[in-house]
Structure formats: C-alpha cells, structure tokens
C-alpha cells in the first residue's frame, strides 16, 4: 500500500475521517447491500466479512509493465482520469480477509460486474494531495500464470474516503480468515516455522520418431538417466510444496542446463521455455523446456559414454514467488549416461524421474512505512538459505542462523544497470527557485550562486539536469572540445574491440541503450572511442561507458563528451584508472579508516571476515555507482559529484554501509559479497529509500581525508623500505590475484546480465515474429481483396459501357416518340381550330336566319325546316316568283348546311381519333418517366448538358 505516511499514522488520521457523516454515508457494513433477497438471481453473495463502498466511479483499466511502481501507477491514474469519456458508477466490496475477493457491483441492481481475488492484487496507490488525482485510487492485478498486469482506476465522490478504502485493502492483505482473536496469544514459533519444504522432480523426454516425446529410462543400479545421442529432448520440472503455508508461484523466470557438477552460473545455458503453469489437480507447478543436444555447449552429454562410467548434468529452474522478494533457484544435479544408438533400453529400470527435496528458509522483511510492497499476502519474505536434502546429509556442521547461504548456486539475479524510472515532474515552487537561480547564474557564469549547494543536495530537477550539469562542469563555453570531438570520432581507437564489447553491457535495462545498433549504443560507442583517442595515457577503461551513458540521457553527445572530459580530468577520476591503481588503493584505505571511525562494529566484523574494501567498493569508485544502482539514485550522485567533488563518493559509501549494517553483521564472507552485489542495489529501487539514503549521505561530514591519504603514503613508504624484493613480489602477486578475483566476479555478474538479456531478447524476438506473422497474414488478405477489387472494377466498367449503349438507344427511341407525339398534338390543334371555325360559321348562319323574318319562319331554332301552311288562294299568284326564289335560296342553304354538317362530323371523328392517340402517348410518356432508366437518362442528360456548358 502506498500512502502519504505510515500505517499507524493512517489509522490515527482515519479516526476523525470515519466520524464524518459524509464518509459514513459512503461506507457501509457487511449488511449494506441487504440480504440475498436483494440480489438478482444468480448473483454471488458478497463475503460476510467485507466493507462496501458506494458513490464511486470506475474510470477504466489499462495494461502496465511495472505493476508495483508508484510512479507508473500514478501516471496511469492521471491519464485515465483525464481521458475517461464514459465513467461507470459502481459499488466496491472489499473483503476483510486475505482469502476474500474484491467485487465491483452495479449500484442499482447489486449485480456483480467483476471480481478480483485478493491474492491477485499486487499494489494499491492513491493520488497525491494537492493534485487533480487526490480523489482517485487504483489497484493493479495480475492474470494467473501470465505476465500481463492491469491497473484499475476509481474516483471517489467524497475525497476523504479514499484513505478509508485503502485502509480496508491493507486490512485484507494483513488478515487471514482463520486468524485467532486479538486477545488470544499467538502460538510459539517452532525452530522450523520459517522453513518451507519443496519437492522438485526432473523428467527427461526424448523424441521417439513418431511425433511424440517419451520419458527416458533410468538405470536401476546407478540411478542415472539413459540418453540417446542426437535425439531432441525436453526437460520437465515438477515443483510441489509439501509443508508450511503455501507460497504462490507466479512464473518461471528461466530454465537452465549444463553438463557437469558444481558448475558456475556463467556456465549454465538457457533453454527455450515451452510451457509453465499449474497441473490439472492444482498440486504441482510444471515447467517444460526444449533441449537440443546437438548444440556445441551440450556436446559432452551427446557423446556415447562407456558402459562402466557415467557423467553429471546440472539443471536449474528460477521461480518468481509472490511472497519472496527475489527469484528462487532450485538446482538439480543428476547422473546421466549416453547409450549407444543400438543398445536396447527395455531392461528393468526404476522410476523415470529424479526427485530432490529442498528446504527454503525465509524471514520476514523489515519494512519501513514507505517500503514498496511486492506481496499481497500477510508477510513479505527474503531468502535466508536454500538447502537440498542431499546437502543436509552431506553437511557435517549446521550454518549459524541468520547467515545468508551462498553455495554453489545463486538464488538471486543482480539488478540490471540502467534500471529505474525517473519522473520529470517537479513542484512549481522548486522550478521557480531554480529558474531564478539560473537566471542570476547566467549573468556571471564564473561564480556559483551561494544557494546552489543547498539546492543540489535536494536533487536537481530532472528537466534541468542537462543544463545544470554543463554549468557545474564549466562546459558552458566548450566550442573547442565540440570541434575536437567531431575530429576524434573519425580516428581509429586501439581499444575498439573492448569498447564494442562493453557497449552491449551498458544499461541493458534502459530502452535507449538496449537495442543493438540503435541510436543510444551508437552515440555511446562514439563517445567512448573519442575519449580513448583523446586521453592516450588512460584510454578506455571499463566503467567509463556507464558514466557516459548517464550523461547521454541528459544532453547531446558533443556536450556529453565535454562533461566526461571535465569529470575525468578535474574531478580526479582518471587517477583511479592509472596502471598501478595506487590512487584507487588509497581511496580504499581512506574508506576503511572512515568505517573504523564511524562504524567501528562493522569495521571489526569485516576484519574478522578478512573482507577488504576493494572486494566490494571497486565499482563504487570506478563507475561512481552508475553500474549497479537505480537511475534515480545515480543521477542524484552525479548532481553532488559535480557540485562538491569526489569526496561525495565517501559520503554515499558510508551511508550505504550504515543503512546495511544490521544485515551485514549477520553475514559471512560470501554472504557479504552477495549482499553487496544483489540486495543492496535492489533496496533503492524505491524512490523513497533512495531519497532517505541521499539525505543521510548529505548530512554526513567526511573529514580527515587528507590525513588518511598522508597516512596511507607513509605506510606504503615504510612497507617498501622494509620488505624484501621477494615479499614485494608476493604482495604484488596477491594484489594481482585479488584483482583477478574481482574481474572473475565481474565476469560472473556480466554473465548473469547476459542471461537476463538473452531472455529479454528472446521475448522481443517472439513478439516480433508474432507481429510479422500477423502482418504477413494481413498482407495476403489485402492482396486477395485487391485482386477481387480489380475484377469487380472490370465487371463494373463492362456493365457501364453496356448501360451507356442502351441509354443511347433508348434516348434515340424516346426522341423519335417525342417527335411523333409532337406531330399528333399539332394536328389535334389544327382540328380544333377547324372545328371552332365551323362552329362559329354555323352560329353565324343561325343568327342570320333568326334575324331574317322570312327565314325564321322556315327554320326552327335547332336549324330544322318548318312545314308552312297553305296560304290563301288569293295570294298564291302574287307570291309564285318570290317562292321560287326562296326555294332556290333554300336549296342552296340546305346544301351548304349539309356540307357543313358533314365536315363537322368528319372533324369530330378525327378529333376523337386524335384524342385516343394523344391519351396513349401521354400514358407512355408518364410510364417512361417513372422507370429507373428514365431517371438514369435524365441524369445523363443533365451531366451531358453541364459538361457541354463547361466545354463552351
């Protein structure tokens, strides 16, 4: 749990928070959700001993690479809080025991949304006060048997309740379901209560030529595996815990194999892991790796062995256990015999596996209030010893309790150089203070500001380190070195092979330097090469690359080279690399005298162990702590070095010895060396631990260095005067042997780093191959889609051409129909005109007839001829001539009327015929308008018309 104080302080502060009514409203007890009747059908009932929190918002989850890093967790909290688009209201149920499960519930229906067992939760964190994330908290969880970690982020409506939620998580991590009442006394621990027993079995399988692998047999008398040469094999390891509280195995860190017995770590060869995980019954953890015996490193166990002889083979498996700080290595030494290919293997044999019992002794880690917690169980352990049953039987004396076991196998891997995250975030007040200081400093670069040392002791802000380091080193006016650097990198270096070899070993854990041939390694190579040519007396020395890498992380390579030259020449570092290492031995003497003055009990203990300073402090002085320690601590040391000089190394060294005194007093010679190599650097991966160490180093006043230097030279002169040449040669020989031992130790360390790098590179290669396969599949799919698209394009082009031709034909047909219909309409208009003319003529004749007195008597209104009654006889003679004239006129008018009626009838018939044709034409036109073809035709006409206008 990462909070803003110790757990005791948190408990005290929560007393007032829990009395706040707003918080009481947020927090419910075990019955807050009601009984089972309140839950929807099929919803699991929350743990009885649990605390339920409402008024929470789930902001989402994301994958993280460092699940126990506070910096990484806070960064993800900030990102998810700012980018969350659809927050989800949830209720959170936190169990009160470590065997319980954290549940996310729907606040409306109390339905379970998700659940996370406590043993899968690795880390909890809350946002810092004064930041937008102060109302947020998060926890990280792991998928079982995988290396995928996720962080879940929540926001609390009532900010003060965040502490209460984290306190509930802490209670769940600490308590067990079967925990005795507080009033009851815990049973006394037995001598072996801190010992965990594991049964580890080894099985070797060979390819039977039928596509399967079968377990090889064992010789009944000699208990040795009987192998065949040239056959591909598999190594299967079964790990089962048989006593004490069960520890959770997270994953296998590595499976290694080597011919021989009592082999060095550097001689072990990493196998390719095929699978890892629990067995179907959940009792064993099984690891399977592939073994190709035809590779050169396994040649010894691939050649036929005489029948009366056998050989040894060593297998190692590194396991990451949740409750243990560092990986644990189980080492199995077995007998093997390589048989003739023609030898029969069906003779009686014993069981096909080799089994060894291991006793792992652990002790709880003394954790400070701000120590980063790896385990989510009740206790976090560190390894005291790991011993097999065979070693117990062979051992005559029992090691003293508390001594770190350092046998032929090493349970821990050292911290890779370049590890650790360094945040660039800094408070506004600190940045303002530094900004004012730099503004004044630039006005007079020759004089350092008075308040500079105090600010540097607290650490230079990461964002300003590049500028501040150049000013502290006096490289603000380094144009001549920059120009010289550009010339030096074009020259050949006599130490080119050593530089190339060390480049891959420098900061392999940092992204900028881990890629072979990448920009980081290229710049680092050029700086080291340039310095080896620039300083021919010293040239390139192992350790310079680490310092150069630190500088490259903050400035361009030309400026980094300039600062490196200043540090080597003006801070006394190059004196340590001179051929006789006289100055380096003087530093060791000074450190031992300071230990005698400040830490006398530890000094005495080292004297009793014959542990000299050069055995553990060489890298401290030669690399300025840059080779093994986390970057946050390394950068702060360089801050102090550039500000106060080489004496800072003594401050940091004494601070390390003081903080580790209690552990070192319990070690033997080998245990102390191992402690300096592995646990000490890893202890300061926590930024809080590193801050406390640097505060202690800055508070220490290292004096009498000049006095101890004179004392050293006086003693050296006396020794040279007194000792005979043979004694001097013997002393020099011892010194060279010590140096050789140190170099061998460094070689072992580098071998460890190489194994770790191989594992990382293998993972990267696997990821790259998977990505390549996925891209190849996508490429094939894309090519197929392209071919299909081209075929579809050709088909559409053909259809378009056919459609254009059909449209042209239909257009011509429609135009002819339109012309035909136009002529019909014209004729119809002419007929209408004639009809109107005849009608008007008839009306005119009728009006004339009606207007004439004589004619109106002869015709009716409908135009019919009336029957005229006979007049009187007296008037007949008078009117004969008149009658005859009228008859003639009447006959003409009747004839004209008959002709007119005939024309009228013909016109009406023609009109009817034209109306019929007109109706058919209109129907055809209307039907044509409704078809898709007509619409297409209209669009084509529109486009054709638009193009014609444009062309005009």
């Amino acid at each position: 749990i990462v909070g803003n104080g110790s757990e005791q302080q948190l408990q005290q502060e929560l007393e007032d928070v829990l009395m706040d009514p707003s918080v009481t409203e947020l927090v419910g007890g075990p019955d807050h959700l009601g009984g089972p009747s309140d839950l929807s059908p099929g919803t699991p009932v929350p743990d009885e001993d649990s605390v339920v929190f409402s008024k929470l918002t789930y902001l989402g989850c994301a994958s993280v690479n460092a699940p126990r890093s506070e910096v990484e967790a806070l960064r993800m909290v900030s990102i998810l809080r700012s980018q969350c688009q659809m927050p989800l209201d949830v209720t959170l149920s936190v169990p009160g025991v470590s065997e319980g499960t954290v549940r996310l519930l729907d606040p409306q229906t109390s339905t379970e949304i998700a659940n996370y067992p406590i043993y899968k939760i690795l880390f909890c964190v809350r946002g810092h006060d004064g930041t937008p994330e102060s109302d947020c908290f998060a926890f990280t969880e792991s998928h079982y048997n995988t290396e995928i970690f996720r962080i879940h982020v929540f926001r609390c409506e009532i900010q003060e309740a965040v502490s209460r939620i984290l306190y509930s998580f802490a209670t769940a991590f600490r308590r067990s379901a079967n925990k005795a009442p507080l009033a009851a006394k815990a049973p006394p621990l037995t001598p072996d209560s801190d010992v965990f027993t594991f049964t580890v079995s080894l099985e070797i399988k060979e390819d039977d030529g039928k596509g399967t692998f079968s377990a090889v047999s064992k010789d009944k008398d000699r208990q040795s595996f009987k192998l065949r040469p040239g056959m591909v094999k598999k190594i299967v390891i079964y790990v089962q815990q048989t006593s004490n509280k069960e520890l959770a195995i997270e994953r296998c860190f590595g499976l290694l194999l080597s011919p021989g017995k009592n082999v060095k770590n550097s001689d072990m060869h990493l196998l390719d892991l095929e699978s890892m995980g629990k067995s179907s019954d959940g009792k064993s953890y099984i690891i399977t790796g592939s073994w190709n015996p035809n590779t050169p490193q396994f040649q010894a166990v691939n050649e036929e062995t005489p029948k009366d002889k056998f050989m040894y083979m060593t297998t190692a498996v590194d396991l990451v256990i949740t409750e243990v700080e560092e990986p644990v290595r189980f080492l199995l030494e077995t007998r093997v015999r390589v048989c003739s290919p023609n030898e029969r293997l069906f003779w009686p044999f014993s069981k096909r596996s080799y089994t060894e019992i291991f006793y792992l002794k652990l002790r709880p880690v003394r954790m400070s209030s701000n120590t980063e917690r790896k385990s989510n169980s009740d206790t976090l352990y560190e390894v005291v010893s790991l011993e097999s049953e065979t070693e117990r039987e062979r051992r005559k004396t029992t090691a003293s309790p508390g001594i770190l076991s350092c046998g032929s196998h090493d349970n821990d891997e050292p911290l890779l150089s370049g590890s650790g995250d360094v945040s660039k975030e800094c408070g506004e007040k600190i940045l303002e203070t530094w900004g004012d200081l730099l503004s004044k400093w630039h006005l007079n670069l020759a004089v350092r500001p008075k308040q500079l040392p105090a600010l540097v002791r607290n650490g230079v802000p990461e964002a300003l380190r590049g500028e501040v380091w150049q000013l502290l080193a006096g490289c603000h006016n380094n144009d001549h070195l920059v120009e010289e650097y550009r010339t030096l990198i074009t020259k050949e270096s006599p130490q080119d092979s050593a530089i190339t070899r060390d480049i891959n070993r420098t900061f392999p854990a940092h992204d900028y330097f881990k890629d072979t041939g990448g920009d980081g390694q290229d710049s680092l190579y050029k700086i080291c090469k340039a310095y080896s040519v620039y300083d021919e007396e010293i040239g390139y020395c192992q350790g310079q690359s680490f310092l150069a890498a630190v500088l490259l992380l903050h400035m361009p390579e030309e400026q980094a080279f300039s600062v490196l030259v200043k540090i080597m020449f003006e801070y006394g570092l190059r004196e340590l690399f001179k051929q006789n290492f006289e100055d380096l031995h003087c530093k060791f003497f000074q450190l031992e005298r300071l230990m005698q003055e400040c830490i006398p009990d530890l000094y005495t203990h080292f004297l009793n162990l014959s542990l000299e300073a050069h055995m553990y402090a060489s890298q401290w002085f030669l690399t300025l702590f840059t080779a093994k320690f986390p970057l946050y601590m390394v950068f702060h040391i360089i801050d102090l070095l550039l500000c106060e000089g080489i004496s800072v190394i003594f401050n940091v060294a004494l601070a390390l010895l003081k903080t580790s005194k209690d552990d070192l007093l319990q070690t033997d010679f080998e245990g102390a060396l191992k402690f300096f190599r592995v646990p000490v650097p890893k202890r300061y991966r926590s930024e809080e631990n590193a801050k406390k160490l640097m505060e202690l180093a800055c508070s220490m006043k290292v004096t009498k260095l000049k006095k101890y230097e004179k004392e050293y030279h006086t003693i050296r002169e006396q020794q040279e005067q007194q000792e005979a040449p043979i004694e001097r040669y013997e002393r020099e020989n011892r010194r060279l042997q010590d140096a050789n031992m140190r170099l061998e130790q460094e070689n072992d360390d580098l071998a460890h780093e190489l194994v770790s790098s191989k594992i990382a590179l293998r993972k990267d290669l696997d990821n790259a191959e998977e990505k390549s396969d996925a891209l190849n599949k996508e490429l094939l799919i894309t090519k197929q889609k392209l071919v299909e698209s081209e075929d579809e394009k050709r088909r559409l082009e053909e259809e378009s051409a056919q459609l254009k031709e059909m449209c042209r034909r239909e257009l011509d047909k429609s135009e002819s129909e339109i012309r035909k219909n136009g002529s019909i309409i014209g004729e119809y208009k002419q007929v209408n005109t004639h009809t109107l003319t005849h009608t008007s003529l008839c009306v005119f004749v009728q009006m004339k007839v009606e207007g004439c007195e004589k004619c109106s008597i002869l015709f009716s209104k409908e135009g019919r001829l009336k029957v005229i009654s006979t007049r009187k006889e007296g008037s007949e003679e008078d009117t004969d001539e008149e009658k005859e004239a009228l008859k003639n006129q009447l006959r003409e008018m009747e004839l004209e009327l008959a002709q007119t009626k005939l024309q009228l009838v013909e016109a009406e018939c023609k009109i009817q015929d034209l109306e019929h044709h007109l109706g058919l034409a209109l129907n055809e036109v209307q039907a044509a308008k409704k078809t898709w073809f007509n619409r297409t035709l209209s669009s084509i006409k529109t486009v054709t018309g638009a193009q014609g206008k444009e062309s005009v």
Side-chain angles (χ1 to χ4, degrees), residues 65 147 270 272 416 508-516 521 755-773:
N65 296 323
E147 296 184 3
L270 191 66
D272 292 334
L416 291 176
H510 198 283
D511 291 340
Y512 185 56
F513 297 103
K514 70 179 183 181
D515 295 332
T516 302
Q521 289 196 10
V755 170
S756 302
S757 300
K758 283 184 177 179
I759 294 173
L761 289 173
R762 181 65 186 182
K763 290 181 180 178
D764 293 342
L765 180 60
D766 292 341
N767 293 334
E769 289 177 349
E770 291 177 359
K771 189 174 182 180
S772 176
D773 293 340

Side-chain angles (χ1 to χ4, degrees), residues 458-474:
N458 292 325
V460 179
E462 178 65 13
L464 302 177
R465 274 200 166 105
E467 179 184 1
V468 173
W469 284 2
Q470 292 183 63
L471 294 176
L472 287 171

Side-chain angles (χ1 to χ4, degrees), residues 38 77 161 372 484 498 535 560 865 884 888 906 950:
D38 293 338
V77 169
E372 183 177 334
E484 190 170 0
D535 187 1
L865 183 64
E884 189 65 27
N888 293 334
E906 290 177 353
E950 291 178 1

Side-chain angles (χ1 to χ4, degrees), residues 251-421:
R251 65 184 186 278
C252 173
F253 186 70
L255 181 62
L256 302 101
L257 183 69
S258 176
K261 186 179 180 181
N262 297 326
V263 298
K264 296 180 180 179
N265 292 324
S266 57
D267 294 333
M268 301 291 289
H269 303 286
L270 191 66
L271 300 182
D272 292 334
L273 287 174
E274 289 191 353
S275 64
M276 66 179 81
K278 276 196 172 184
S279 59
S280 57
D281 58 7
K283 295 181 179 180
S284 301
Y285 193 87
I286 305 175
I287 304 103
T288 304
S290 60
W291 167 21
N292 184 2
N294 297 315
T295 54
Q297 56 265 31
F298 299 128
Q299 187 64 31
V301 287
N302 198 36
E303 296 178 348
E304 185 177 343
T305 308
K307 291 186 178 181
D308 57 341
K309 294 184 179 180
F310 59 86
M311 68 182 68
Y312 277 95
M313 181 183 75
T314 302
T315 307
V317 58
D318 295 329
L319 298 180
V320 177
I321 300 176
T322 302
E323 294 87 352
V324 183
E325 281 190 312
E326 304 300 334
V328 178
R329 170 171 290 185
F330 296 100
L331 206 69
L332 301 171
E333 294 178 342
T334 56
R335 295 179 178 182
V336 296
R337 188 169 71 85
V338 183
C339 305
S340 170
N342 301 322
E343 183 177 344
R344 295 183 177 181
L345 299 181
F346 59 84
W347 298 105
F349 52 83
S350 65
K351 59 183 180 179
R352 296 169 180 259
S353 63
Y354 169 79
T355 301
E356 182 69 272
I357 299 175
F358 289 87
Y359 302 95
L360 175 64
K361 189 170 185 178
L362 303 175
R363 66 180 174 192
V365 178
R366 290 187 294 274
M367 299 175 63
S368 64
S369 59
N370 293 322
T371 300
E372 183 177 334
R373 189 181 181 89
K374 175 182 184 290
S375 171
N376 50 29
S377 63
D378 296 340
T379 310
L380 184 64
Y381 299 97
E382 63 180 357
V383 176
V384 177
S385 63
L386 178 64
E387 190 175 33
S388 67
E389 182 69 28
T390 304
E391 290 174 336
R392 276 195 171 188
E393 294 176 358
R394 195 165 51 219
R395 177 169 48 87
K396 295 181 180 180
T397 58
T398 305
S400 302
I403 296 180
L404 291 172
S405 172
C406 287
S408 61
H409 55 277
D410 181 10
N411 294 325
D412 302 307
E413 292 292 338
L415 187 69
L416 291 176
S417 63
S419 300
D421 297 325

Side-chain angles (χ1 to χ4, degrees), residues 116-123 140-144 149 376:
Y116 311 97
I118 284 292
Y119 72 86
K120 286 189 177 182
I121 297 179
L122 306 179
F123 186 70
T140 58
E141 54 98 9
S142 66
H143 292 292
Y144 192 66
F149 305 97
N376 50 29

